[in-house]
Amino acid sequence: PNDIDAHFGLAEIELYEGRYTGAEKQYKEALKRQADNRNALLALSLIYAEKSKYSDGDKYLRQALTYYSGDPEVHYLAAVVYSMKGDYKQAENHARISVEINGNLEKSYELLTTILYKQGRYSEVLDLSDFLIGRNRKNSTAWYLKGIAYIKTGKTKEAIDAWTTGLNAQPQDELMRFAMELEVRELLSLENNKRKQFAQYHVDNARQYKTRYDGSGAIYEYQRAL
């Protein structure tokens, strides 16, 4: 009963099965043995946020921030919780603290970009997306956010161009591809050669499915191509 790792293991099994209450119990048992355990404090704050019981999770988040104020991961997860809560001012504040502490934490920059997008600050989203792309051209999150920021500012052509370039870097990003294809259907005429170029990706996928004798997968990809 005093083995904290065992409680964490049991909590992960409970989470895997979708039993938040059971996981909550195990993390609280871990805290009884180690009151300042960072992972248990953060896990509880996230569980309560997932259950929309933000006031119950606040005390655990505050404790984590008190004990580990210089930890970029703690501020990152605080930003996640506040974003789930809809408190974008606090979420932005903690995301910025996280990147100030560790400028190499890419996921904190990505989260900050998302928070700015949710606040409708699209020009800042574009700037930060370009910053992330400059550091890692394969950052599909940055390409996706850049595209939807262009959409929100009425620049559909620029959005399609951004997503096309992003998909060249990360062709397996289905979210970005689906968003691009929705815009292509509205913007490009049926005679536009770019349609054939975008459709070819799905034709190639369909042929791969056929080699694996997966008829339903092939049909789906051919439909996407059409």
Side-chain angles (χ1 to χ4, degrees):
N2 293 319
D3 190 324
I4 292 174
D5 289 337
H7 286 294
F8 273 99
L10 289 170
E12 288 183 17
I13 292 170
E14 296 285 356
L15 287 173
Y16 182 79
E17 297 292 339
R19 297 191 292 262
Y20 292 124
T21 302
E24 177 188 335
K25 178 182 176 182
Q26 294 299 332
Y27 286 127
K28 285 181 176 177
E29 288 294 326
L31 282 179
K32 286 180 183 178
R33 278 108 183 139
Q34 189 179 8
D36 63 346
N37 187 289
R38 188 193 78 153
N39 291 342
L41 291 169
L42 292 172
L44 282 167
S45 66
L46 285 167
I47 286 172
Y48 281 120
E50 184 67 29
K51 295 164 70 175
S52 299
K53 294 183 176 180
Y54 302 108
S55 58
D56 292 333
D58 276 349
K59 68 175 182 178
Y60 298 107
L61 184 58
R62 286 197 300 270
Q63 287 178 47
L65 289 167
T66 299
Y67 291 132
Y68 306 99
S69 60
D71 188 325
E73 289 279 352
V74 171
H75 287 283
Y76 166 77
L77 286 168
V80 170
V81 171
Y82 280 116
S83 184
M84 293 170 71
K85 189 178 180 179
D87 186 345
Y88 298 125
K89 183 178 179 181
Q90 283 283 11
E92 180 184 347
N93 179 49
H94 285 288
R96 290 190 183 279
I97 292 172
S98 180
V99 297
E100 285 172 9
I101 296 171
N102 183 355
N104 294 318
L105 206 59
E106 195 169 84
K107 64 182 179 181
S108 293
Y109 279 112
E110 291 174 359
L111 179 59
L112 176 58
T113 310
T114 302
I115 292 166
L116 293 172
Y117 174 80
K118 288 179 178 179
Q119 296 179 83
R121 292 155 63 180
Y122 305 124
S123 62
E124 293 175 72
V125 171
L126 290 169
D127 290 341
L128 201 46
S129 295
D130 283 336
F131 170 77
L132 285 167
I133 291 165
R135 295 178 64 166
N136 176 12
R137 194 159 181 80
K138 291 188 176 182
N139 188 320
S140 57
T141 300
W143 284 112
Y144 174 73
L145 288 168
K146 183 176 182 177
I148 59 174
Y150 273 134
I151 292 293
K152 289 294 184 180
T153 54
K155 298 180 178 178
T156 309
K157 181 182 180 302
E158 287 83 349
I160 292 174
D161 289 344
W163 285 331
T164 302
T165 307
L167 286 167
N168 286 334
Q170 288 286 38
Q172 303 305 317
D173 191 313
E174 275 299 303
L175 180 62
M176 182 159 42
R177 186 173 298 280
F178 187 72
M180 182 195 71
E181 289 175 356
L182 283 175
E183 296 303 324
V184 164
R185 287 193 299 180
E186 298 295 325
L187 183 69
L188 301 184
S189 67
L190 289 174
E191 295 77 20
N192 193 301
N193 284 331
K194 282 189 175 181
R195 282 180 175 265
K196 185 176 180 180
Q197 171 192 334
F198 298 141
Q200 189 61 44
Y201 172 82
H202 295 294
V203 172
D204 293 341
N205 275 355
R207 289 170 178 164
Q208 288 294 322
Y209 277 115
K210 286 177 71 176
T211 62
R212 298 194 294 269
Y213 304 100
D214 185 344
S216 60
I219 289 171
Y220 172 76
E221 288 296 337
Y222 280 130
Q223 288 173 335
R224 288 282 297 273
L226 286 173

